[in-house]
Amino acid sequence: MAALAALVVGIAVIALAHCSVAGSTADAAARGPVTYVFGDSMSEVGNNNYFQLSLAKANYPWYGIDYPKGVATGRFTNGRTIGDYMDAKFGIPSPPPFLSLSMANEDDFLTGVNFASGGAGILNETGVYFVEYFSFDQQISCFESVKKAMIAKIGKEAAEQTVNAAMFQIGLGSNDYINNFLQPFMADGTTYTHDQFIRLLVATLDRQLKRLYGLGARKVAFNGLPPLGCIPAQRVKSATGECLEHVNSYAVQFNAAAKKLLDGMNARLPGAQMGLADCYSVVMELIQHPQKHGFTTSDTSCCGVDTKVGGLCLPDSTPCRDRKAYVFWDAYHTSDAANRVIADRLWDDMTSASAGAPAPRASAPGPAAAPAPSPSRA
């Protein structure tokens, strides 16, 4: 956590230094913090909307019911993502989806881009049955095209400085388990033992992070896996409805291996500041003690889709009446209310882990809740 704390403090200093800066397009490279987001459905803000054949989309009701104006943007939750709330703490707007941008407009990509895509994993074979999506390798290729466009617009030196100072947020690995290793119809679960699978994940992630480093990434926040065995889609596989402890143990083992990898990169790569965000402990706290954080239910989803194929909150679903009372929105994704608490906790943990860290801002204001859908579940 110390490495991540130092990273966040550095980014926060940049943000404070530039929060009052106003200027023309020529000043865009100097504003901060610029944020590049890579990930899966927990981080996506709408890239998959542009894929005609993608089976991993959230651009329909009831998604977005608690987002400003009640719009379904492609975020896999009823409101904002964890990243949205973290960006608000840094005082910056959430970066737009890559596929919504025009490379002809330099303002579109100089201030940050979100490459995250629902279904993505660390491994390229993860998520293949979602048909169209950006794998992590493809997301990196998209960033490479952004970097080239930046060089063409503002010059190599300015582009390099912008990328070196930017925050790279990466949230991947969940699908490599939920939609790959744990699926009986996917080859990886039968080809590898779990120890072998972790080695495969880490070796692949090592290559990918080095590729990003070669493109200029220096400040990287990698989100550790949450307790995957406690998401509603996994609980229903238990005869008692309890968390699947062996799946949780997989997440713990992966997080330890990822942290070791990041620490090693910091030691070997000049200027690298890469840290692991402890999402596991933060989310487990909400699951084990929901009332402490204002929730009533953490073992099932607001949309009541735990046993449905796909586990998403489709238009024919009936969301719960009090959406702020549930930790999980659908069978896989946390609710807007939970995302806000998780962002608060991650921010507090990161800033308090380093002496002299800037005091956490107040909890970012959430969007006004839209009226509860009717009819409603209890």
Side-chain angles (χ1 to χ4, degrees):
M1 183 64 74
L4 188 60
L7 164 63
V8 172
V9 170
I11 293 293
V13 169
I14 295 171
L16 291 172
H18 295 291
C19 65
S20 61
V21 172
S24 65
T25 301
D27 297 322
R31 302 187 196 123
V34 172
T35 305
Y36 299 110
V37 182
F38 303 78
D40 52 30
S41 55
M42 286 295 293
S43 304
E44 186 183 341
V45 296
N47 278 312
N48 284 11
N49 295 351
Y50 295 85
F51 290 133
Q52 183 176 357
L53 301 179
S54 178
L55 299 180
K57 292 183 180 181
N59 58 343
Y60 48 80
W62 299 101
Y63 290 95
I65 189 172
D66 295 312
Y67 195 77
K69 299 182 181 180
V71 177
T73 61
R75 289 166 169 80
F76 285 74
T77 185
N78 55 308
R80 297 195 205 183
T81 66
I82 297 168
D84 288 331
Y85 282 115
M86 292 295 282
D87 289 333
K89 290 177 181 296
F90 281 123
I92 60 174
S94 296
F98 169 73
L99 290 178
S100 71
L101 304 180
S102 168
M103 290 301 169
N105 185 341
E106 60 191 79
D107 283 339
D108 280 351
F109 55 83
L110 285 179
T111 55
V113 182
N114 187 312
F115 304 95
S117 178
I122 294 169
L123 304 178
N124 288 325
E125 61 263 32
T126 293
V128 291
Y129 51 82
F130 295 120
V131 187
E132 280 190 298
Y133 65 101
F134 282 142
S135 68
F136 188 24
D137 276 322
Q138 289 171 324
Q139 291 177 38
I140 296 172
S141 293
C142 291
F143 170 71
E144 188 170 15
S145 69
V146 166
K147 176 83 176 291
K148 290 178 180 177
M150 291 172 64
I151 291 173
K153 288 289 184 179
I154 63 175
K156 185 173 182 179
E157 183 177 356
E160 202 67 32
Q161 290 175 351
T162 298
V163 172
N164 287 167
M167 167 75 90
F168 286 72
Q169 298 178 358
I170 304 174
L172 288 156
S174 294
N175 282 324
D176 292 294
Y177 284 97
I178 300 302
N179 289 308
N180 187 349
F181 187 73
L182 295 173
Q183 294 292 350
F185 53 83
M186 294 292 287
D188 285 353
T190 56
T191 302
Y192 304 106
T193 65
H194 185 247
D195 286 344
Q196 292 171 332
F197 188 65
I198 281 192
R199 287 197 290 272
L200 174 64
L201 288 175
V202 171
T204 305
L205 184 59
D206 177 84
R207 172 182 59 77
Q208 292 162 332
L209 292 178
K210 285 177 179 174
R211 184 182 172 198
L212 277 175
Y213 179 87
L215 290 169
R218 295 295 181 268
K219 300 173 175 63
V220 176
F222 188 90
N223 294 334
L225 295 184
L228 296 174
C230 293
I231 66 174
Q234 291 296 301
R235 279 182 181 265
V236 296
K237 299 178 181 181
S238 166
T240 61
E242 298 299 316
C243 298
L244 298 183
E245 292 306 325
H246 73 285
V247 177
N248 282 347
S249 72
Y250 291 165
V252 171
Q253 292 173 61
F254 171 82
N255 289 341
K259 184 180 185 304
K260 182 177 180 181
L261 171 66
L262 296 170
D263 289 345
M265 288 190 160
N266 289 336
R268 294 190 303 272
L269 302 178
Q273 292 178 276
M274 303 186 184
L276 184 82
D278 183 14
C279 296
Y280 189 98
S281 298
V282 172
V283 176
M284 183 61 89
E285 166 71 14
L286 294 189
I287 291 170
Q288 293 180 334
H289 307 288
Q291 290 81 7
K292 180 179 175 182
H293 301 279
F295 301 96
T296 62
T297 308
S298 62
D299 59 351
T300 189
S301 64
C302 172
C303 283
V305 292
D306 304 358
T307 60
K308 287 189 176 182
V309 175
L312 297 181
C313 193
L314 300 174
D316 63 353
S317 303
T318 305
C320 57
R321 182 177 298 276
D322 185 1
R323 299 185 292 279
K324 293 183 179 180
Y326 282 71
V327 172
F328 289 96
W329 168 243
D330 60 25
Y332 299 96
H333 307 98
T334 42
S335 67
D336 172 87
N339 289 341
R340 181 175 178 174
V341 174
I342 292 167
D344 286 344
R345 283 288 311 278
L346 288 174
W347 180 267
D348 288 349
D349 288 350
M350 290 187 295
T351 55
S352 64
S354 178
R361 299 187 184 184
S363 174
S374 180
S376 300
R377 276 198 311 113

